[in-house]
Amino acid sequence: MPHAPQIRIPATYMRGGTSKGVFFRLEDLPARAQVPGPARDALLSRVIGSPDPYGKHTDGMGGATSSTSKVVIVSPSTQPGHDVDYLYGQVPINEAFIDWSGNCGNLSSAVGPFAITNGMIDASRVPRDGVCTVRIWQANIQKTIVAHVQVSGGEVQETGDFELDGVTFPAAEVQLEFIDPADEGEGEGGGAMFPTGNLVDDLDVPGVGVFKATMINAGVPVVFVEAAALGYDGTELQGAINEDKAALAKLEAIRAHGAVRMGLVDDVAKAAARPLTPKVAFVASPKDYLSSSGKLVRAADIDLLARAMSMGKLHHAMMGTASVAIAAAAAVPGTVVNAAAGGGSREVVVFGHPSGTLRVGAELKQTDGQWSATKAIMSRSARVLMEGTVRVPGDAF
Protein backbone atom coordinates (compact mmCIF):
# COMPACT_ATOMS: atom_id res chain seq x y z
CA MET A 1 0.00 0.00 0.00
CA PRO A 2 1.39 3.43 -0.92
CA HIS A 3 1.82 5.92 1.91
CA ALA A 4 1.87 9.69 1.88
CA PRO A 5 5.36 11.19 2.20
CA GLN A 6 6.44 13.10 5.27
CA ILE A 7 5.51 16.75 5.52
CA ARG A 8 7.74 19.46 6.95
CA ILE A 9 6.46 21.94 9.51
CA PRO A 10 8.53 24.86 10.85
CA ALA A 11 8.99 24.41 14.59
CA THR A 12 11.17 25.37 17.53
CA TYR A 13 12.12 23.01 20.34
CA MET A 14 12.36 25.05 23.54
CA ARG A 15 12.98 24.68 27.23
CA GLY A 16 10.88 26.87 29.46
CA GLY A 17 11.47 26.58 33.21
CA THR A 18 11.66 22.89 34.10
CA SER A 19 9.68 21.82 31.02
CA LYS A 20 10.32 21.62 27.31
CA GLY A 21 8.07 21.37 24.29
CA VAL A 22 7.66 21.89 20.56
CA PHE A 23 6.58 25.44 19.63
CA PHE A 24 4.69 26.34 16.45
CA ARG A 25 3.45 29.51 14.84
CA LEU A 26 -0.23 28.95 14.08
CA GLU A 27 0.25 30.05 10.48
CA ASP A 28 2.86 27.33 9.90
CA LEU A 29 0.53 24.45 10.72
CA PRO A 30 -1.34 22.69 7.91
CA ALA A 31 -4.72 24.33 7.33
CA ARG A 32 -6.67 21.47 8.93
CA ALA A 33 -4.55 21.79 12.07
CA GLN A 34 -4.96 25.53 12.40
CA VAL A 35 -8.32 24.99 14.05
CA PRO A 36 -9.19 22.84 17.08
CA GLY A 37 -10.27 19.30 16.35
CA PRO A 38 -9.18 15.72 15.71
CA ALA A 39 -6.81 16.66 12.86
CA ARG A 40 -4.84 19.06 15.07
CA ASP A 41 -4.67 16.57 17.93
CA ALA A 42 -3.57 13.73 15.65
CA LEU A 43 -0.86 15.83 14.00
CA LEU A 44 0.61 17.17 17.25
CA SER A 45 0.40 13.80 18.98
CA ARG A 46 2.40 12.33 16.10
CA VAL A 47 4.99 15.09 16.44
CA ILE A 48 5.48 14.10 20.08
CA GLY A 49 5.33 10.36 19.30
CA SER A 50 2.10 9.51 21.12
CA PRO A 51 0.37 7.28 21.85
CA ASP A 52 3.36 5.09 22.67
CA PRO A 53 2.59 1.79 24.46
CA TYR A 54 6.33 1.43 25.11
CA GLY A 55 6.34 4.72 27.03
CA LYS A 56 9.58 5.95 25.43
CA HIS A 57 8.60 8.41 22.65
CA THR A 58 11.31 6.89 20.51
CA ASP A 59 9.50 7.88 17.29
CA GLY A 60 8.80 11.49 18.20
CA MET A 61 9.99 14.68 19.89
CA GLY A 62 8.49 13.89 23.28
CA GLY A 63 10.61 13.12 26.30
CA ALA A 64 8.39 10.39 27.77
CA THR A 65 7.59 12.47 30.87
CA SER A 66 4.80 14.93 31.59
CA SER A 67 7.38 17.75 31.73
CA THR A 68 8.76 17.06 28.26
CA SER A 69 5.71 15.99 26.23
CA LYS A 70 4.13 19.32 25.42
CA VAL A 71 3.13 21.43 22.42
CA VAL A 72 2.59 25.17 22.10
CA ILE A 73 0.89 27.23 19.40
CA VAL A 74 1.57 30.97 19.25
CA SER A 75 -0.15 33.56 17.04
CA PRO A 76 -0.69 37.33 16.87
CA SER A 77 -3.21 38.14 19.56
CA THR A 78 -6.92 38.44 18.93
CA GLN A 79 -7.32 40.24 22.26
CA PRO A 80 -7.00 44.02 22.72
CA GLY A 81 -3.93 45.06 24.68
CA HIS A 82 -2.08 41.79 24.09
CA ASP A 83 0.77 40.86 21.78
CA VAL A 84 0.30 37.13 21.23
CA ASP A 85 -2.14 34.30 21.91
CA TYR A 86 -0.58 31.25 23.55
CA LEU A 87 -2.27 27.85 23.38
CA TYR A 88 -0.80 24.94 25.33
CA GLY A 89 -1.39 21.21 24.85
CA GLN A 90 -0.35 18.46 27.26
CA VAL A 91 0.27 15.27 25.29
CA PRO A 92 -0.29 12.01 27.24
CA ILE A 93 2.39 9.41 26.66
CA ASN A 94 0.23 6.39 25.88
CA GLU A 95 -3.19 7.84 25.15
CA ALA A 96 -4.56 9.19 21.87
CA PHE A 97 -5.71 12.69 22.81
CA ILE A 98 -4.34 16.06 23.89
CA ASP A 99 -5.47 17.79 27.07
CA TRP A 100 -6.10 21.49 26.39
CA SER A 101 -7.74 22.17 29.76
CA GLY A 102 -4.99 24.19 31.44
CA ASN A 103 -1.80 26.18 31.18
CA CYS A 104 1.87 25.30 31.62
CA GLY A 105 3.47 27.90 33.86
CA ASN A 106 6.97 26.72 33.00
CA LEU A 107 6.56 26.94 29.22
CA SER A 108 4.90 30.34 29.71
CA SER A 109 8.44 31.66 30.20
CA ALA A 110 9.38 30.62 26.65
CA VAL A 111 6.42 32.28 24.91
CA GLY A 112 7.78 35.84 25.15
CA PRO A 113 11.22 34.89 23.79
CA PHE A 114 9.58 32.87 21.00
CA ALA A 115 7.34 35.80 20.06
CA ILE A 116 10.25 38.27 19.94
CA THR A 117 12.48 35.95 17.92
CA ASN A 118 9.72 35.24 15.42
CA GLY A 119 8.97 38.91 14.75
CA MET A 120 5.60 38.95 16.52
CA ILE A 121 6.52 42.03 18.57
CA ASP A 122 6.79 45.41 16.87
CA ALA A 123 10.47 46.17 16.35
CA SER A 124 10.04 49.63 17.92
CA ARG A 125 9.22 47.94 21.24
CA VAL A 126 12.28 45.70 21.27
CA PRO A 127 15.20 47.61 22.80
CA ARG A 128 18.71 47.04 21.58
CA ASP A 129 19.71 46.35 25.17
CA GLY A 130 17.30 46.08 28.06
CA VAL A 131 14.00 44.37 28.84
CA CYS A 132 11.13 43.77 26.42
CA THR A 133 7.68 43.39 27.98
CA VAL A 134 5.40 40.93 26.18
CA ARG A 135 1.71 40.72 27.02
CA ILE A 136 0.48 37.18 26.45
CA TRP A 137 -3.11 35.98 26.22
CA GLN A 138 -3.22 32.47 27.67
CA ALA A 139 -5.94 31.02 25.44
CA ASN A 140 -6.54 27.82 27.43
CA ILE A 141 -7.69 29.64 30.57
CA GLN A 142 -8.41 33.08 29.07
CA LYS A 143 -5.92 34.93 31.25
CA THR A 144 -3.12 37.48 30.87
CA ILE A 145 0.56 36.71 31.46
CA VAL A 146 3.16 39.47 31.30
CA ALA A 147 6.68 38.32 30.44
CA HIS A 148 9.74 40.49 30.98
CA VAL A 149 12.39 39.24 28.56
CA GLN A 150 16.02 40.33 28.55
CA VAL A 151 17.33 41.61 25.22
CA SER A 152 20.94 42.09 24.17
CA GLY A 153 22.04 43.46 20.82
CA GLY A 154 18.42 43.54 19.69
CA GLU A 155 17.97 39.79 20.22
CA VAL A 156 16.63 37.69 23.06
CA GLN A 157 19.30 37.13 25.71
CA GLU A 158 19.22 33.42 26.55
CA THR A 159 22.49 32.92 28.39
CA GLY A 160 23.00 34.22 31.91
CA ASP A 161 23.63 33.47 35.57
CA PHE A 162 20.07 32.79 36.76
CA GLU A 163 19.86 29.35 38.36
CA LEU A 164 16.63 27.38 38.65
CA ASP A 165 16.47 24.20 40.70
CA GLY A 166 15.45 21.38 38.37
CA VAL A 167 17.40 22.86 35.44
CA THR A 168 21.02 21.79 35.05
CA PHE A 169 22.58 24.95 33.61
CA PRO A 170 22.09 28.67 34.35
CA ALA A 171 20.45 30.99 31.82
CA ALA A 172 18.92 34.46 31.52
CA GLU A 173 16.09 35.24 33.92
CA VAL A 174 12.55 35.73 32.58
CA GLN A 175 10.18 37.29 35.10
CA LEU A 176 6.52 36.34 34.74
CA GLU A 177 3.42 38.03 36.08
CA PHE A 178 0.24 35.94 36.10
CA ILE A 179 -2.63 38.44 36.19
CA ASP A 180 -5.87 37.41 37.95
CA PRO A 181 -4.66 33.80 37.71
CA ALA A 182 -7.81 31.86 38.64
CA ASP A 183 -9.09 29.63 35.82
CA GLU A 184 -12.60 30.72 34.86
CA GLY A 185 -13.75 27.12 35.32
CA GLU A 186 -16.80 25.31 34.04
CA GLY A 187 -18.41 24.23 37.32
CA GLU A 188 -20.60 25.84 39.95
CA GLY A 189 -17.60 27.60 41.48
CA GLY A 190 -16.84 29.34 38.18
CA GLY A 191 -13.67 31.35 38.52
CA ALA A 192 -13.81 31.49 42.34
CA MET A 193 -10.47 31.04 44.04
CA PHE A 194 -12.06 28.53 46.41
CA PRO A 195 -14.72 26.90 44.22
CA THR A 196 -16.26 24.86 47.07
CA GLY A 197 -16.72 28.01 49.14
CA ASN A 198 -14.47 26.65 51.89
CA LEU A 199 -10.81 27.04 52.80
CA VAL A 200 -10.73 23.40 53.94
CA ASP A 201 -13.10 20.57 53.06
CA ASP A 202 -13.45 16.99 54.20
CA LEU A 203 -12.85 15.17 50.92
CA ASP A 204 -14.33 11.69 51.11
CA VAL A 205 -12.61 9.28 48.75
CA PRO A 206 -14.40 5.91 48.96
CA GLY A 207 -12.04 3.05 49.64
CA VAL A 208 -9.18 5.44 50.35
CA GLY A 209 -10.17 7.72 53.23
CA VAL A 210 -11.35 11.18 54.23
CA PHE A 211 -8.82 13.96 53.78
CA LYS A 212 -8.61 17.56 54.95
CA ALA A 213 -8.23 19.28 51.61
CA THR A 214 -7.82 22.81 50.33
CA MET A 215 -9.20 23.00 46.80
CA ILE A 216 -8.02 26.17 45.13
CA ASN A 217 -8.23 27.68 41.70
CA ALA A 218 -5.19 29.91 41.16
CA GLY A 219 -2.83 29.33 38.26
CA VAL A 220 -4.41 25.91 37.90
CA PRO A 221 -7.03 24.04 39.96
CA VAL A 222 -5.21 22.09 42.70
CA VAL A 223 -6.33 19.72 45.45
CA PHE A 224 -3.94 20.13 48.41
CA VAL A 225 -3.81 17.52 51.17
CA GLU A 226 -1.51 16.96 54.13
CA ALA A 227 1.49 14.74 53.47
CA ALA A 228 1.04 13.02 56.84
CA ALA A 229 -2.49 11.93 55.89
CA LEU A 230 -0.92 9.97 53.03
CA GLY A 231 1.79 8.48 55.20
CA TYR A 232 4.49 10.83 53.86
CA ASP A 233 6.70 13.47 55.47
CA GLY A 234 6.87 15.79 52.45
CA THR A 235 10.53 15.11 51.56
CA GLU A 236 9.75 12.34 49.06
CA LEU A 237 11.51 12.21 45.70
CA GLN A 238 10.13 10.70 42.49
CA GLY A 239 11.17 7.10 43.18
CA ALA A 240 9.24 6.93 46.44
CA ILE A 241 5.98 7.73 44.66
CA ASN A 242 6.31 6.78 41.00
CA GLU A 243 7.44 3.23 41.71
CA ASP A 244 4.51 2.61 44.07
CA LYS A 245 1.44 1.67 42.01
CA ALA A 246 -0.82 1.70 45.06
CA ALA A 247 0.28 5.23 45.92
CA LEU A 248 -0.32 6.42 42.36
CA ALA A 249 -3.82 4.91 42.39
CA LYS A 250 -4.60 6.55 45.74
CA LEU A 251 -3.44 9.97 44.57
CA GLU A 252 -5.38 9.66 41.31
CA ALA A 253 -8.53 8.77 43.26
CA ILE A 254 -8.07 11.88 45.41
CA ARG A 255 -7.59 13.97 42.28
CA ALA A 256 -10.69 12.54 40.60
CA HIS A 257 -12.96 13.10 43.61
CA GLY A 258 -11.49 16.58 44.03
CA ALA A 259 -12.36 17.33 40.40
CA VAL A 260 -16.00 16.55 41.17
CA ARG A 261 -16.05 18.65 44.36
CA MET A 262 -14.50 21.56 42.45
CA GLY A 263 -17.15 21.32 39.75
CA LEU A 264 -14.67 20.51 36.99
CA VAL A 265 -16.45 17.26 36.11
CA ASP A 266 -19.82 15.88 37.15
CA ASP A 267 -18.68 12.28 37.52
CA VAL A 268 -15.50 10.73 38.90
CA ALA A 269 -15.03 8.61 35.78
CA LYS A 270 -14.81 11.73 33.62
CA ALA A 271 -11.70 12.95 35.45
CA ALA A 272 -9.61 10.48 33.42
CA ALA A 273 -10.44 12.44 30.25
CA ARG A 274 -8.78 15.57 31.65
CA PRO A 275 -5.61 14.34 33.39
CA LEU A 276 -3.99 17.78 33.21
CA THR A 277 -6.42 19.40 35.66
CA PRO A 278 -6.95 19.50 38.54
CA LYS A 279 -3.57 18.76 40.06
CA VAL A 280 -3.20 16.94 43.37
CA ALA A 281 -0.41 17.96 45.74
CA PHE A 282 0.67 17.28 49.30
CA VAL A 283 2.35 19.64 51.75
CA ALA A 284 4.20 19.49 55.04
CA SER A 285 6.12 21.72 57.44
CA PRO A 286 9.83 22.33 56.67
CA LYS A 287 12.41 19.58 57.17
CA ASP A 288 15.99 19.11 56.01
CA TYR A 289 16.32 16.83 52.98
CA LEU A 290 18.53 16.01 50.03
CA SER A 291 17.15 17.07 46.66
CA SER A 292 17.29 14.82 43.61
CA SER A 293 20.65 16.37 42.67
CA GLY A 294 22.08 15.64 46.12
CA LYS A 295 21.87 19.27 47.23
CA LEU A 296 20.98 19.81 50.90
CA VAL A 297 17.76 21.79 51.35
CA ARG A 298 17.66 23.21 54.88
CA ALA A 299 14.41 23.59 56.79
CA ALA A 300 15.54 27.05 57.88
CA ASP A 301 15.62 28.21 54.25
CA ILE A 302 12.06 27.28 53.29
CA ASP A 303 8.51 27.97 54.49
CA LEU A 304 7.06 24.55 53.64
CA LEU A 305 7.50 21.37 51.64
CA ALA A 306 5.37 20.71 48.55
CA ARG A 307 5.10 17.80 46.13
CA ALA A 308 2.71 17.71 43.16
CA MET A 309 1.47 15.12 40.72
CA SER A 310 1.54 15.77 36.98
CA MET A 311 -0.21 13.46 34.54
CA GLY A 312 -0.28 10.67 37.11
CA LYS A 313 3.36 10.92 38.24
CA LEU A 314 5.22 12.92 40.86
CA HIS A 315 6.72 15.99 39.17
CA HIS A 316 10.51 16.17 39.27
CA ALA A 317 10.35 19.78 40.46
CA MET A 318 7.17 21.90 40.51
CA MET A 319 4.80 23.00 37.78
CA GLY A 320 4.73 26.77 37.33
CA THR A 321 0.96 26.91 37.57
CA ALA A 322 0.95 24.80 40.73
CA SER A 323 3.56 27.16 42.15
CA VAL A 324 1.05 29.98 41.72
CA ALA A 325 -1.53 27.91 43.60
CA ILE A 326 0.94 27.19 46.41
CA ALA A 327 1.74 30.89 46.82
CA ALA A 328 -1.93 31.88 46.80
CA ALA A 329 -2.99 29.17 49.25
CA ALA A 330 -0.04 29.92 51.56
CA ALA A 331 -1.17 33.55 51.76
CA VAL A 332 -4.64 32.71 53.11
CA PRO A 333 -4.81 31.86 56.83
CA GLY A 334 -6.72 28.65 57.42
CA THR A 335 -5.75 26.66 54.36
CA VAL A 336 -3.88 23.36 54.52
CA VAL A 337 -0.96 25.05 52.73
CA ASN A 338 -0.91 28.04 55.08
CA ALA A 339 -0.90 25.71 58.09
CA ALA A 340 2.08 23.80 56.68
CA ALA A 341 3.88 27.14 56.34
CA GLY A 342 3.27 27.94 59.99
CA GLY A 343 0.16 30.11 59.69
CA GLY A 344 -0.03 33.88 59.51
CA SER A 345 -0.17 35.93 56.33
CA ARG A 346 2.51 36.27 53.68
CA GLU A 347 3.00 37.74 50.20
CA VAL A 348 6.01 35.60 49.30
CA VAL A 349 6.60 31.90 49.92
CA VAL A 350 9.69 29.75 49.48
CA PHE A 351 8.91 26.06 49.25
CA GLY A 352 10.98 22.91 48.90
CA HIS A 353 10.26 20.55 45.99
CA PRO A 354 12.05 17.38 44.80
CA SER A 355 14.70 19.30 42.85
CA GLY A 356 15.30 22.11 45.34
CA THR A 357 13.51 25.34 46.23
CA LEU A 358 11.39 27.99 44.56
CA ARG A 359 10.32 31.49 45.57
CA VAL A 360 6.90 32.75 44.41
CA GLY A 361 4.98 35.91 45.25
CA ALA A 362 1.22 36.35 45.28
CA GLU A 363 -0.96 39.45 45.67
CA LEU A 364 -4.42 38.72 47.09
CA LYS A 365 -7.48 40.66 48.12
CA GLN A 366 -10.57 39.83 50.14
CA THR A 367 -13.92 41.30 49.14
CA ASP A 368 -17.11 40.53 51.07
CA GLY A 369 -15.35 37.59 52.67
CA GLN A 370 -14.26 36.11 49.32
CA TRP A 371 -10.58 35.74 48.47
CA SER A 372 -9.15 36.34 45.02
CA ALA A 373 -5.64 36.45 43.61
CA THR A 374 -4.83 39.57 41.61
CA LYS A 375 -1.30 38.64 40.59
CA ALA A 376 1.37 36.01 41.04
CA ILE A 377 5.04 36.65 40.27
CA MET A 378 7.86 34.21 39.67
CA SER A 379 11.09 33.93 37.73
CA ARG A 380 11.96 31.26 35.22
CA SER A 381 14.37 30.93 32.30
CA ALA A 382 13.98 29.77 28.71
CA ARG A 383 16.21 28.68 25.88
CA VAL A 384 15.94 27.52 22.28
CA LEU A 385 17.24 23.97 22.02
CA MET A 386 16.72 23.47 18.29
CA GLU A 387 14.91 25.22 15.47
CA GLY A 388 14.04 24.28 11.94
CA THR A 389 11.36 21.84 10.84
CA VAL A 390 9.75 18.74 12.27
CA ARG A 391 8.73 15.96 9.92
CA VAL A 392 5.45 14.11 10.23
CA PRO A 393 4.10 11.27 8.06
CA GLY A 394 1.48 12.81 5.80
CA ASP A 395 -1.05 10.09 6.54
CA ALA A 396 -0.75 10.58 10.32
CA PHE A 397 -3.67 13.01 10.41
Side-chain angles (χ1 to χ4, degrees):
M1 295 288 291
H3 292 278
Q6 292 211 97
I7 60 174
R8 300 184 181 192
I9 305 173
T12 304
Y13 197 38
M14 295 192 74
R15 178 186 63 77
T18 58
S19 293
K20 59 183 178 180
V22 186
F23 281 60
F24 299 92
R25 297 189 306 175
L26 177 64
E27 65 194 68
D28 290 332
L29 293 174
R32 284 188 296 148
Q34 290 186 18
V35 294
R40 170 183 286 181
D41 284 15
L43 172 69
L44 298 180
S45 292
R46 191 66 177 86
V47 167
I48 294 298
S50 288
D52 183 0
Y54 302 105
K56 302 298 182 183
H57 278 155
T58 305
D59 200 24
M61 298 292 294
T65 70
S66 66
S67 301
T68 56
S69 303
K70 303 168 182 276
V71 292
V72 168
I73 302 172
V74 183
S75 59
S77 186
T78 58
Q79 304 297 316
H82 293 76
D83 298 306
V84 292
D85 289 351
Y86 151 46
L87 186 67
Y88 161 67
Q90 176 72 57
V91 185
I93 296 170
N94 54 13
E95 297 179 79
F97 70 94
I98 295 180
D99 193 338
W100 302 96
S101 67
N103 178 34
C104 175
N106 278 297
L107 287 189
S108 298
S109 63
V111 175
F114 179 85
I116 296 170
T117 300
N118 282 273
M120 296 181 174
I121 308 302
D122 190 288
S124 65
R125 290 183 41 219
V126 181
R128 178 161 182 80
D129 298 289
V131 175
C132 181
T133 299
V134 182
R135 291 185 62 84
I136 301 163
W137 180 251
Q138 213 302 317
N140 301 78
I141 60 173
Q142 306 285 288
K143 293 294 179 180
T144 299
I145 301 171
V146 181
H148 302 280
V149 183
Q150 297 184 42
V151 176
S152 178
E155 297 183 351
V156 172
Q157 175 69 38
E158 295 180 293
T159 56
D161 300 322
F162 177 73
E163 296 185 352
L164 180 65
D165 286 340
V167 177
T168 307
F169 304 106
E173 180 179 7
V174 178
Q175 188 180 82
L176 296 174
E177 299 176 55
F178 297 84
I179 310 300
D180 185 24
D183 187 340
E184 293 299 338
E186 311 101 67
E188 295 178 2
M193 184 166 156
F194 296 100
T196 70
N198 303 313
L199 300 182
V200 179
D201 287 276
D202 288 325
L203 181 62
D204 187 359
V205 184
V208 177
V210 179
F211 300 87
K212 295 291 184 184
T214 290
M215 288 172 272
I216 189 171
N217 174 12
V220 68
V222 181
V223 180
F224 286 106
V225 296
E226 299 163 328
L230 297 166
Y232 302 136
D233 68 3
T235 66
E236 287 75 18
L237 303 184
Q238 281 189 302
I241 308 298
N242 294 345
E243 296 172 11
D244 185 342
K245 292 184 178 180
L248 295 178
K250 177 189 294 187
L251 288 160
E252 176 58 22
I254 294 171
R255 191 191 76 85
H257 282 81
V260 175
R261 287 291 293 272
M262 296 180 81
L264 299 173
V265 294
D266 57 15
D267 183 81
V268 172
K270 294 181 180 179
R274 52 178 298 160
L276 181 60
T277 57
K279 308 294 187 187
V280 60
F282 53 93
V283 296
S285 57
K287 301 173 186 66
D288 291 349
Y289 70 98
L290 291 178
S291 73
S292 56
S293 68
K295 172 185 174 182
L296 175 63
V297 178
R298 299 183 184 277
D301 297 333
I302 57 177
D303 298 305
L304 77 156
L305 296 164
R307 303 305 193 250
M309 305 297 290
S310 176
M311 301 295 287
K313 299 287 187 179
L314 184 70
H315 196 277
H316 71 100
M318 184 58 65
M319 303 81 83
T321 49
S323 301
V324 172
I326 291 169
V332 179
T335 68
V336 167
V337 181
N338 178 265
S345 58
R346 65 189 69 240
E347 293 184 353
V348 176
V349 65
V350 179
F351 61 87
H353 55 73
S355 293
T357 66
L358 185 64
R359 174 187 174 94
V360 187
E363 297 179 8
L364 277 70
K365 65 179 181 180
Q366 191 176 25
T367 306
D368 297 328
Q370 299 298 312
W371 288 94
S372 61
T374 57
K375 182 189 294 187
I377 303 171
M378 73 176 74
S379 289
R380 286 289 195 264
S381 62
R383 187 171 75 86
V384 172
L385 303 178
M386 183 179 289
E387 56 190 353
T389 59
V390 292
R391 296 196 185 194
V392 184
D395 54 8
F397 73 114

